[in-house]
Amino acid sequence: MSTAKRLVRSALADLMPSGGAMPGVLETDWDGFVERYAREAPRQVWLGVVAGALVYTVTPILTVGRPVPATRLSPELKDVHADRITQHPVYLVRQAVFLLKLSAGFAWGAHPSVREKLGLEPYDPDPGTWRQE
């Protein structure tokens, strides 16, 4: 797994964890999804996702007053950071993280276990026709 994908994975572990009966994004075949997403999404979109993960990782100084990467925060501070960064008053900071969460939502919302918990039928298998080489 590339450094960029590890960075995205780490940020999403904090931003979209499991809660109650709902699985977190990393419990929904995120690794398989991100491989395909990085390959098939427009390059600018993938770069935006990685930039969002980078913004999330380097901004604890803005949200919890700690000059360390988000990966070095305690679980309690990670939760506070994840909440505060999504409500940050600077639009560009907030939107960078939103793009990251939006992309992860594609994987999360399409996963059969999530759809089942929401009372929805699973999607048919992907025919693989979206991206034509």
Side-chain angles (χ1 to χ4, degrees), residues 39-96:
R39 185 177 61 248
E40 294 181 357
R43 186 99 175 122
Q44 297 89 336
V45 172
W46 175 244
L47 291 175
V49 169
V50 174
L54 185 61
V55 166
Y56 174 82
T57 302
V58 301
T59 53
I61 189 71
L62 300 176
T63 59
V64 294
R66 300 292 199 284
V68 297
T71 56
R72 313 247 356 245
L73 296 173
S74 68
E76 295 80 17
L77 283 179
K78 283 181 180 183
D79 190 45
V80 173
H81 174 56
D83 180 54
R84 289 182 181 170
I85 197 67
T86 60
Q87 301 175 54
H88 196 274
V90 175
Y91 178 79
L92 192 56
V93 171
R94 203 172 53 242
Q95 287 306 108

